[in-house]
Amino acid sequence: QVQFVESGGGLVQPGGSLRLSCAVSGSIFSVYAMGWYRQAPGKQRELVAGITSGGSTNYADSVRGRFTISRDNAKNTVYLQMNSLKPEDTAVYSCNKVVRPTTWGQGTQVTVSS
């Protein structure tokens, strides 16, 4: 069973940066396309960034040019570098497979506020 442990969230001022990490265990990590998702209060969870097993990336329009997803297959870890953060980026961020997401981890809270 695949498990996800997210970390790196926190409180940051608008315009600031954070780097999120997601440690993945329990499966063959390198074969999966992985994604970072976020869920703001009262809203549905949305996929904001994805990366294939080969390293190709794609982004939601709302974060393109500000966020960068990457992965280290040797460490079974996915990262999300977030720059130029905005208050509307405030959400719980989680990682999971892009295709057929499995059980969600706890996520990590990102709050952008002055």
Side-chain angles (χ1 to χ4, degrees):
Q1 182 176 351
V2 183
Q3 294 180 321
F4 309 99
V5 179
E6 300 92 347
S7 61
L11 173 63
V12 63
Q13 292 187 341
S17 298
L18 285 173
R19 188 191 194 210
L20 307 184
S21 299
C22 174
V24 184
S25 63
S27 188
I28 307 174
F29 168 79
S30 62
V31 305
Y32 295 127
M34 295 295 301
W36 278 99
Y37 300 75
R38 70 184 180 188
Q39 186 168 23
K43 296 187 176 181
Q44 288 192 333
R45 182 180 283 123
E46 63 172 338
L47 176 66
V48 297
I51 185 166
T52 67
S53 57
S56 297
T57 59
N58 58 77
Y59 300 93
D61 289 343
S62 58
V63 307
R64 186 175 291 111
R66 300 187 298 120
F67 290 10
T68 303
I69 188 171
S70 61
R71 65 191 296 162
D72 185 335
N73 289 338
K75 295 182 178 180
N76 280 18
T77 302
V78 186
Y79 304 98
L80 187 67
Q81 177 67 44
M82 307 187 296
N83 299 328
S84 302
L85 283 161
K86 304 176 181 180
E88 52 263 44
D89 294 319
T90 295
V92 175
Y93 285 72
S94 303
C95 71
N96 211 314
K97 298 189 298 177
V98 173
V99 177
R100 291 191 293 275
T102 184
T103 304
W104 296 90
Q106 297 274 29
T108 186
Q109 175 71 47
V110 171
T111 302
V112 185
S113 175
S114 54

